[in-house]
C-alpha cells in the first residue's frame, strides 16, 4: 500500500501556510465558542442542582448577596451625595 502524499512546491508554501493558519484560527474560534457554551451549561446545571438539593444554603447565600448589594448601594448613594455637596461649594 503506497500512500501518495502531495507536498506543496516551494512557491506554494506561503499559500499553503496561509490556508493552514486560517484553518487553525477557525478551529480555535469554534473550540472557544463550544467551550463557552459548555461552561455556561455546566454553570446552569450546577445552579439548578444547588437550588434543588441545598435549598437552605442557597437561601443563605442569596440573602448574604442581597445584603452586600444593599450595603454597596447605600455606600454609593452616600458618596454621590457627598460629591454633590462638595461640588456645590
Amino acid at each position: 500500500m503506497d500512500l501518495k502524499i502531495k507536498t506543496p512546491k516551494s512557491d506554494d508554501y506561503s499559500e499553503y501556510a496561509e490556508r493552514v493558519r486560517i484553518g487553525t484560527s477557525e478551529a480555535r474560534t469554534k473550540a472557544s465558542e463550544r467551550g463557552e457554551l459548555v461552561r455556561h451549561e455546566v454553570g446552569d446545571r450546577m445552579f439548578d442542582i444547588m437550588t434543588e438539593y441545598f435549598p437552605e444554603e442557597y437561601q443563605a447565600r442569596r440573602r448574604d448577596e442581597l445584603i452586600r448589594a444593599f450595603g454597596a448601594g447605600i455606600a454609593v448613594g452616600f458618596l454621590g451625595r457627598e460629591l454633590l455637596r462638595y461640588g456645590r461649594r
Side-chain angles (χ1 to χ4, degrees):
M1 182 162 140
D2 189 22
L3 295 176
K4 295 189 179 195
I5 300 173
K6 182 182 174 191
T7 58
K9 297 176 186 171
S10 62
D11 55 343
D12 293 336
Y13 278 131
S14 61
E15 180 185 337
Y16 179 73
E18 185 64 28
R19 284 192 293 169
V20 169
R21 189 174 13 272
I22 290 171
T24 304
S25 174
E26 290 173 358
R28 283 185 184 149
T29 303
K30 288 179 184 178
S32 175
E33 290 171 358
R34 283 190 214 125
E36 189 67 32
L37 180 63
V38 168
R39 282 190 293 276
H40 182 71
E41 288 293 321
V42 168
D44 286 347
R45 298 296 169 245
M46 291 295 291
F47 183 77
D48 292 342
I49 288 170
M50 185 177 145
T51 57
E52 183 177 340
Y53 291 108
F54 306 105
E56 297 86 14
E57 288 84 354
Y58 169 72
Q59 290 297 331
R61 188 175 285 193
R62 177 100 169 120
R63 193 172 35 252
D64 290 344
E65 289 174 2
L66 288 173
I67 289 170
R68 258 188 257 130
F70 181 73
I74 289 176
V76 167
F78 178 76
L79 287 174
R81 186 182 72 185
E82 292 301 316
L83 286 173
L84 284 174
R85 279 186 185 174
Y86 182 74
R88 290 181 188 160
R89 291 183 189 177

